[in-house]
Amino acid sequence: MKQVLMRLLNMTIGLLLTAFGIILTIKANIGYAPWEVFHVGLSKTIGLSFGMTTILVGVVIVIIVTLLGEKLGLGTILSMVLTGVFADIILIVNIIPMENDLMVGLIMLIAGLFIISLGTYFYIKTAYGVGPRDNLMVVLARKTKLPVGVCRCLVEFFVTFIGWLLGGMVGIGTIISVIAIGFCIQITFGLFKFDVTAVKYESFTESWLVLCNRYRKREVSRKNI
């Protein structure tokens, strides 16, 4: 049970870091990172909050990657929901001020991209399943055999273009993000010697059965005391 709790803790930490990194790139105020260009543009179009929009997009992506053969994991569902919730909370609390200085904004942007990469590492390594957007990265890496960083760049470029059409903010920070996010992922995963394609993900059903079995064993041991 302790191992399960540690995995869930790593998942939560990873999602919180990801949400924090996302808001940091937005508050850098020099152009949103690719997915944020898309989310903000779509948010303006459909009238939902930023967090709720990310959840809606996550649902759509989950359907797509499932059709492409990826497992639906507990982590996929938690990422789909909690990242948006955490992002909205951070925005409401307003702990990160909007930056107006270009150089400081650049530092905030790069820091945000590395924090997102670190968060991605934390929750992918739990093997509960990757988040919807990272699932696209993993699917492309497995299908095309291209490096995970290259696949991430391809995805980021596509959503940036669509987000720009929807009215999302594009600036120098966006260009940097499109180029840098793949390198940030590669550097972060490299530092931890982490091969994302080698992770054996648990399906939602498998994770649920493990949780139920561990709970039953714990109850049996209590009764025998």
Side-chain angles (χ1 to χ4, degrees):
M1 194 66 183
K2 183 178 180 180
Q3 184 181 12
V4 173
L5 292 175
M6 285 302 299
R7 289 173 70 189
L8 290 173
L9 178 61
N10 277 325
M11 170 67 65
T12 304
I13 291 173
L15 297 178
L16 181 57
L17 284 171
T18 300
F20 186 82
I22 287 171
I23 302 305
L24 196 60
T25 63
I26 291 176
K27 294 291 188 174
N29 199 30
I30 56 174
Y32 299 149
W35 276 108
E36 282 52 76
V37 174
F38 180 68
H39 291 146
V40 172
L42 185 60
S43 175
K44 291 178 179 178
T45 302
I46 63 179
L48 289 178
S49 71
F50 176 80
M52 288 303 298
T53 301
T54 64
I55 293 173
L56 176 62
V57 172
V59 171
V60 174
I61 295 175
V62 162
I63 294 173
I64 293 173
V65 297
T66 301
L67 293 175
L68 289 174
E70 284 296 301
K71 290 181 180 180
L72 177 62
L74 175 63
T76 308
I77 297 172
L78 290 177
S79 174
M80 182 176 64
V81 176
L82 292 183
T83 303
V85 171
F86 286 150
D88 269 352
I89 291 174
I90 294 170
L91 284 172
I92 292 171
V93 175
N94 198 27
I95 58 176
I96 306 174
M98 187 69 74
E99 185 54 53
N100 294 313
D101 182 84
L102 177 60
M103 291 307 298
V104 176
L106 285 171
I107 294 172
M108 288 175 64
L109 178 70
I110 297 300
L113 293 177
F114 272 110
I115 291 172
I116 291 170
S117 300
L118 183 61
T120 301
Y121 160 75
F122 265 102
Y123 71 73
I124 287 183
K125 77 171 185 174
T126 64
Y128 278 137
V130 298
R133 293 151 194 79
D134 293 306
N135 232 326
L136 282 178
M137 174 182 68
V138 174
V139 167
L140 282 177
R142 284 178 173 162
K143 298 292 184 182
T144 65
K145 307 302 181 183
L146 292 172
V148 65
V150 173
C151 294
R152 182 65 179 250
C153 284
L154 291 173
V155 173
E156 303 287 352
F157 180 81
F158 177 75
V159 296
T160 298
F161 179 69
I162 300 299
W164 173 70
L165 292 177
L166 293 174
M169 179 183 176
V170 175
I172 186 174
T174 309
I175 298 172
I176 293 172
S177 296
V178 170
I179 297 172
I181 186 62
F183 292 107
C184 291
I185 289 284
Q186 287 288 102
I187 291 171
T188 302
F189 285 12
L191 286 174
F192 290 99
K193 295 180 173 57
F194 182 60
D195 181 7
V196 67
T197 62
V199 178
K200 304 297 182 183
Y201 300 106
E202 287 182 1
S203 67
F204 181 81
T205 302
E206 290 170 339
S207 297
W208 179 254
L209 289 175
V210 169
L211 289 170
C212 289
N213 287 335
R214 289 182 181 274
Y215 178 77
R216 290 195 189 102
K217 289 179 180 179
R218 188 176 181 182
E219 289 300 307
V220 170
S221 63
R222 281 182 176 178
K223 291 180 181 179
N224 292 333
I225 296 176

